[in-house]
Amino acid sequence: MRRACRIELSEEERATLEQWSSGRRMAARVVQRAKIVLRAAAGMQNKAIAAQLGCGRDTVAQWRLRFRDKRLAGLLKDAPRAGRRPSRRAQLTKPIVNATLHKKPENATHWSTRSLAGELGISPSMVQRVWKMHALKPHRVRSFTLSKDKHFVEKMQDIVGLYLNPPERALVLCCDEKSQIQALDRTQPGLPIKKGRCGTTTHDYKRNGTTTLFAALELAEGKLIGACMDRHRHQEWLAFLKLIGTQTPAGLDLHLIVDNYATHKHPKAWLKRHPRFHIHFTPTSASWLNLIERWFRELTGKRIRRGVFKSVQELVHSIMNYIEHHNANPRPFTWTAKSDDILAKIRRANASLNKMATT
């Protein structure tokens, strides 16, 4: 009489299988296989497992044996099946990839599946399969700028050091202004969201004035110090520094991370009279080093972009209300990138740019 093989699990394997079996983002076939192995490890027979999971006994037996032979890795991929190998794709892969990477169409900035297929005399589906196989996405683009600051390394290491190893008895604050925030009122009310249709807003709008948000993000706890002002000159920046001083414990030094905007460099005499303030400038064209920019993105996406404001006062009230709710349950942004990793990535980018310049 044939007996099913016995399944024994380590604690790590059991934890992984339990995670897979209840994971909503896992493929359904992997979820089923994880459930099969867990029940097999509990001593259930193939017949009982099949009845409980609504599959065949042969399926249960197959994945029981596959796990015994290949463990967790065997559940993630199906075994190779017989069939004719795609010979035409093998012939066309190189010309498709070369054209995608090194050529451009005459009347466009990038290839589409149809334009490249027409250029090479093949089907668009063939181009799509090759692009998917090599993770090529010509329709997508990301912006970037490499800093040309002569002191980039020193400034970057200084700021990353503050993030990863903040000084004792001190607060690290990421500061900046979000200027020219417009109070926009739509010309007509937007249509509400409903099943099968997203919410809508009119494309035209009425401008009702602007405000500038001065904000400081406290690194350790993620709390915000903010103030909206009509302008963003050095007078307003100095007033905001005084606000930071009143809203932080007097016995702590304050390390402020700011960009190279001229306003930030103006109050030198005031800073000398207040030695608890220490200013750290980001390199030019490296605003990504300042974590306040990440919070500004949250503010724009969640409160400003789709908002309707009939006056500047209404806009200011909405911004300050957002800050108040943020501070009620703050969540700090955690910086994880090390200086060496950043420098390695920049070296690769410079090498690519130099290679393109010489070709």
Side-chain angles (χ1 to χ4, degrees), residues 218-238:
E218 199 270 307
L219 180 66
E221 296 185 0
K223 290 186 176 181
L224 255 293
I225 299 172
C228 290
M229 304 185 191
D230 295 335
R231 303 173 70 175
H232 55 288
R233 305 166 300 172
H234 69 271
Q235 293 95 327
E236 286 77 17
W237 171 242
L238 183 57

Side-chain angles (χ1 to χ4, degrees), residues 64-355:
R64 184 193 284 262
L65 290 172
R66 182 76 62 81
F67 181 80
R68 182 197 65 180
D69 297 337
K70 297 186 178 181
R71 311 309 291 179
L72 292 174
L75 304 182
L76 294 175
K77 292 185 179 180
D78 295 340
R81 293 182 173 88
R84 182 176 64 85
R85 293 185 177 181
S87 58
R88 182 165 170 76
R89 188 194 303 178
Q91 297 173 357
L92 294 174
T93 295
K94 186 174 181 179
I96 290 174
V97 172
N98 286 339
T100 305
L101 296 180
H102 305 298
K103 296 181 181 179
K104 288 187 177 181
E106 294 181 358
N107 61 339
T109 58
H110 59 279
W111 296 105
S112 67
T113 53
R114 287 181 171 81
S115 62
L116 185 56
E119 178 75 14
L120 299 178
I122 56 178
S123 67
S125 60
M126 177 64 72
V127 176
Q128 192 274 335
R129 286 195 293 269
V130 172
W131 280 359
K132 184 177 181 180
M133 184 171 59
H134 290 81
L136 294 173
K137 301 177 182 179
H139 62 287
R140 298 190 63 184
V141 65
R142 288 182 177 179
S143 60
F144 83 103
T145 300
L146 289 179
S147 175
K148 296 182 179 179
D149 196 317
K150 295 180 180 179
H151 303 286
F152 172 82
V153 176
E154 295 89 336
K155 292 180 179 179
M156 183 271 294
Q157 290 177 338
D158 177 38
I159 293 173
V160 172
L162 287 174
Y163 288 153
L164 298 181
N165 299 294
E168 295 182 359
R169 297 197 56 77
L171 292 178
V172 178
L173 299 109
C174 304
C175 308
D176 202 2
E177 305 94 17
K178 186 172 179 63
S179 61
Q180 300 296 313
I181 307 175
Q182 298 190 73
L184 300 180
D185 183 16
R186 302 293 169 177
T187 58
Q188 298 175 11
L191 298 177
I193 187 173
K194 62 182 293 185
K195 185 177 180 180
R197 187 185 71 189
C198 64
T200 63
T201 60
T202 59
H203 69 278
D204 51 350
Y205 47 82
K206 178 183 177 182
R207 294 187 177 94
N208 292 315
T210 63
T211 188
T212 294
L213 171 63
F214 287 75
L217 175 67
E218 199 270 307
L219 180 66
E221 296 185 0
K223 290 186 176 181
L224 255 293
I225 299 172
C228 290
M229 304 185 191
D230 295 335
R231 303 173 70 175
H232 55 288
R233 305 166 300 172
H234 69 271
Q235 293 95 327
E236 286 77 17
W237 171 242
L238 183 57
F240 184 62
L241 290 179
K242 295 177 181 178
L243 177 65
I244 293 175
T246 60
Q247 295 194 11
T248 53
L252 300 180
D253 283 352
L254 303 176
H255 293 264
L256 275 56
I257 298 173
V258 299
D259 61 22
N260 289 272
Y261 187 45
T263 297
H264 298 156
K265 300 179 180 180
H266 191 275
K268 295 180 180 179
W270 186 89
L271 291 172
K272 288 182 179 179
R273 296 195 303 270
H274 297 79
R276 65 186 297 236
F277 284 82
H278 306 273
I279 305 297
H280 304 262
F281 293 103
T282 62
T284 56
S285 303
S287 59
W288 47 270
L289 275 169
N290 196 335
L291 284 175
I292 191 64
E293 301 291 346
R294 177 67 179 81
W295 186 85
F296 281 159
R297 190 179 79 180
E298 295 276 322
L299 173 67
T300 301
K302 294 181 178 180
R303 193 65 193 92
I304 295 177
R305 181 177 290 125
R306 295 168 61 176
V308 176
F309 309 105
K310 299 183 181 299
S311 65
V312 174
Q313 292 76 15
E314 187 176 337
L315 171 62
V316 171
H317 176 75
S318 298
I319 293 174
M320 300 310 294
N321 184 57
Y322 183 85
I323 293 175
E324 182 180 347
H325 278 77
H326 172 86
N327 287 338
N329 184 27
R331 292 187 178 181
F333 297 110
T334 303
W335 185 275
T336 58
K338 298 180 180 179
S339 299
D340 293 341
D341 297 334
I342 296 173
L343 289 175
K345 183 177 287 189
I346 290 175
R347 291 191 192 99
R348 290 195 298 269
N350 278 316
S352 298
L353 290 177
N354 292 335
K355 185 177 179 180

